[in-house]
Amino acid sequence: MPLNDRITLTESGFLFDHATGITYTLNNSGTYIMQQLLAEKEPNSILRDVMNKFEVDEREARFDIEQFVTQIKKFSLL
């Protein structure tokens, strides 16, 4: 099942996994990163966008994205 068909994500960061029935609450950066992943943006584009939106340097943005992706993979959301 494609990710967009399996996941519902609201603007406020409420994420619902239709396959498992589990809900998650994401913070602002997690919500933004998940929106970018659902939009199938390129990794470099996501990195640049996170840097600009949250006014962080590349190192911090990369770390945050990697940590987020690790977590969503852990929960089989990606």
PDB file of all heavy atoms in Angstrom, residues 10-23:
ATOM      1  N   THR A  10      -2.460  15.447   9.674  1.00  0.00           N
ATOM      2  CA  THR A  10      -3.115  16.752   9.720  1.00  0.00           C
ATOM      3  C   THR A  10      -2.077  17.851   9.858  1.00  0.00           C
ATOM      4  O   THR A  10      -0.923  17.597  10.211  1.00  0.00           O
ATOM      5  CB  THR A  10      -4.085  16.842  10.916  1.00  0.00           C
ATOM      6  OG1 THR A  10      -3.327  16.820  12.133  1.00  0.00           O
ATOM      7  CG2 THR A  10      -5.106  15.714  10.905  1.00  0.00           C
ATOM      8  N   GLU A  11      -2.490  19.080   9.599  1.00  0.00           N
ATOM      9  CA  GLU A  11      -1.599  20.238   9.732  1.00  0.00           C
ATOM     10  C   GLU A  11      -1.099  20.403  11.164  1.00  0.00           C
ATOM     11  O   GLU A  11      -0.018  20.917  11.392  1.00  0.00           O
ATOM     12  CB  GLU A  11      -2.321  21.515   9.291  1.00  0.00           C
ATOM     13  CG  GLU A  11      -2.572  21.594   7.800  1.00  0.00           C
ATOM     14  CD  GLU A  11      -1.300  21.748   6.997  1.00  0.00           C
ATOM     15  OE1 GLU A  11      -0.393  22.475   7.438  1.00  0.00           O
ATOM     16  OE2 GLU A  11      -1.218  21.129   5.924  1.00  0.00           O
ATOM     17  N   SER A  12      -1.873  19.945  12.125  1.00  0.00           N
ATOM     18  CA  SER A  12      -1.488  20.099  13.530  1.00  0.00           C
ATOM     19  C   SER A  12      -0.564  18.988  14.022  1.00  0.00           C
ATOM     20  O   SER A  12      -0.160  18.991  15.183  1.00  0.00           O
ATOM     21  CB  SER A  12      -2.737  20.171  14.410  1.00  0.00           C
ATOM     22  OG  SER A  12      -3.470  18.971  14.311  1.00  0.00           O
ATOM     23  N   GLY A  13      -0.232  18.028  13.149  1.00  0.00           N
ATOM     24  CA  GLY A  13       0.720  16.994  13.506  1.00  0.00           C
ATOM     25  C   GLY A  13       0.131  15.692  13.995  1.00  0.00           C
ATOM     26  O   GLY A  13       0.830  14.819  14.484  1.00  0.00           O
ATOM     27  N   PHE A  14      -1.157  15.517  13.834  1.00  0.00           N
ATOM     28  CA  PHE A  14      -1.807  14.260  14.181  1.00  0.00           C
ATOM     29  C   PHE A  14      -1.619  13.311  13.007  1.00  0.00           C
ATOM     30  O   PHE A  14      -2.025  13.605  11.892  1.00  0.00           O
ATOM     31  CB  PHE A  14      -3.288  14.506  14.459  1.00  0.00           C
ATOM     32  CG  PHE A  14      -4.068  13.262  14.763  1.00  0.00           C
ATOM     33  CD1 PHE A  14      -3.980  12.660  16.013  1.00  0.00           C
ATOM     34  CD2 PHE A  14      -4.888  12.706  13.806  1.00  0.00           C
ATOM     35  CE1 PHE A  14      -4.710  11.517  16.297  1.00  0.00           C
ATOM     36  CE2 PHE A  14      -5.619  11.563  14.069  1.00  0.00           C
ATOM     37  CZ  PHE A  14      -5.527  10.961  15.321  1.00  0.00           C
ATOM     38  N   LEU A  15      -0.982  12.170  13.254  1.00  0.00           N
ATOM     39  CA  LEU A  15      -0.716  11.193  12.206  1.00  0.00           C
ATOM     40  C   LEU A  15      -1.461   9.910  12.538  1.00  0.00           C
ATOM     41  O   LEU A  15      -1.375   9.408  13.667  1.00  0.00           O
ATOM     42  CB  LEU A  15       0.794  10.934  12.129  1.00  0.00           C
ATOM     43  CG  LEU A  15       1.251  10.029  10.992  1.00  0.00           C
ATOM     44  CD1 LEU A  15       2.604  10.495  10.493  1.00  0.00           C
ATOM     45  CD2 LEU A  15       1.349   8.598  11.446  1.00  0.00           C
ATOM     46  N   PHE A  16      -2.205   9.400  11.585  1.00  0.00           N
ATOM     47  CA  PHE A  16      -2.962   8.166  11.764  1.00  0.00           C
ATOM     48  C   PHE A  16      -2.489   7.146  10.749  1.00  0.00           C
ATOM     49  O   PHE A  16      -2.450   7.427   9.545  1.00  0.00           O
ATOM     50  CB  PHE A  16      -4.463   8.417  11.594  1.00  0.00           C
ATOM     51  CG  PHE A  16      -5.295   7.172  11.717  1.00  0.00           C
ATOM     52  CD1 PHE A  16      -5.441   6.538  12.949  1.00  0.00           C
ATOM     53  CD2 PHE A  16      -5.913   6.623  10.613  1.00  0.00           C
ATOM     54  CE1 PHE A  16      -6.197   5.378  13.070  1.00  0.00           C
ATOM     55  CE2 PHE A  16      -6.676   5.463  10.716  1.00  0.00           C
ATOM     56  CZ  PHE A  16      -6.815   4.844  11.950  1.00  0.00           C
ATOM     57  N   ASP A  17      -2.108   5.969  11.230  1.00  0.00           N
ATOM     58  CA  ASP A  17      -1.680   4.864  10.377  1.00  0.00           C
ATOM     59  C   ASP A  17      -2.886   3.952  10.165  1.00  0.00           C
ATOM     60  O   ASP A  17      -3.308   3.237  11.080  1.00  0.00           O
ATOM     61  CB  ASP A  17      -0.527   4.113  11.043  1.00  0.00           C
ATOM     62  CG  ASP A  17       0.009   2.968  10.209  1.00  0.00           C
ATOM     63  OD1 ASP A  17      -0.603   2.602   9.185  1.00  0.00           O
ATOM     64  OD2 ASP A  17       1.056   2.416  10.597  1.00  0.00           O
ATOM     65  N   HIS A  18      -3.446   3.978   8.969  1.00  0.00           N
ATOM     66  CA  HIS A  18      -4.647   3.196   8.661  1.00  0.00           C
ATOM     67  C   HIS A  18      -4.385   1.695   8.731  1.00  0.00           C
ATOM     68  O   HIS A  18      -5.295   0.926   9.025  1.00  0.00           O
ATOM     69  CB  HIS A  18      -5.183   3.559   7.273  1.00  0.00           C
ATOM     70  CG  HIS A  18      -5.602   4.975   7.145  1.00  0.00           C
ATOM     71  ND1 HIS A  18      -6.862   5.412   7.459  1.00  0.00           N
ATOM     72  CD2 HIS A  18      -4.913   6.081   6.757  1.00  0.00           C
ATOM     73  CE1 HIS A  18      -6.947   6.713   7.256  1.00  0.00           C
ATOM     74  NE2 HIS A  18      -5.775   7.149   6.835  1.00  0.00           N
ATOM     75  N   ALA A  19      -3.150   1.276   8.468  1.00  0.00           N
ATOM     76  CA  ALA A  19      -2.831  -0.150   8.463  1.00  0.00           C
ATOM     77  C   ALA A  19      -2.858  -0.750   9.865  1.00  0.00           C
ATOM     78  O   ALA A  19      -3.234  -1.903  10.035  1.00  0.00           O
ATOM     79  CB  ALA A  19      -1.458  -0.374   7.825  1.00  0.00           C
ATOM     80  N   THR A  20      -2.469   0.045  10.860  1.00  0.00           N
ATOM     81  CA  THR A  20      -2.385  -0.485  12.223  1.00  0.00           C
ATOM     82  C   THR A  20      -3.427   0.109  13.166  1.00  0.00           C
ATOM     83  O   THR A  20      -3.670  -0.444  14.235  1.00  0.00           O
ATOM     84  CB  THR A  20      -0.998  -0.207  12.838  1.00  0.00           C
ATOM     85  OG1 THR A  20      -0.823   1.205  12.967  1.00  0.00           O
ATOM     86  CG2 THR A  20       0.108  -0.812  12.002  1.00  0.00           C
ATOM     87  N   GLY A  21      -3.985   1.247  12.800  1.00  0.00           N
ATOM     88  CA  GLY A  21      -4.928   1.934  13.675  1.00  0.00           C
ATOM     89  C   GLY A  21      -4.254   2.764  14.750  1.00  0.00           C
ATOM     90  O   GLY A  21      -4.913   3.319  15.619  1.00  0.00           O
ATOM     91  N   ILE A  22      -2.928   2.868  14.687  1.00  0.00           N
ATOM     92  CA  ILE A  22      -2.168   3.607  15.693  1.00  0.00           C
ATOM     93  C   ILE A  22      -2.084   5.082  15.295  1.00  0.00           C
ATOM     94  O   ILE A  22      -1.936   5.411  14.124  1.00  0.00           O
ATOM     95  CB  ILE A  22      -0.754   3.019  15.855  1.00  0.00           C
ATOM     96  CG1 ILE A  22      -0.856   1.578  16.360  1.00  0.00           C
ATOM     97  CG2 ILE A  22       0.089   3.860  16.808  1.00  0.00           C
ATOM     98  CD1 ILE A  22       0.477   0.845  16.416  1.00  0.00           C
ATOM     99  N   THR A  23      -2.189   5.936  16.308  1.00  0.00           N
ATOM    100  CA  THR A  23      -2.056   7.374  16.078  1.00  0.00           C
ATOM    101  C   THR A  23      -0.770   7.881  16.731  1.00  0.00           C
ATOM    102  O   THR A  23      -0.295   7.318  17.721  1.00  0.00           O
ATOM    103  CB  THR A  23      -3.245   8.150  16.659  1.00  0.00           C
ATOM    104  OG1 THR A  23      -3.313   7.900  18.062  1.00  0.00           O
ATOM    105  CG2 THR A  23      -4.547   7.750  15.998  1.00  0.00           C
TER     106      THR A  23
END
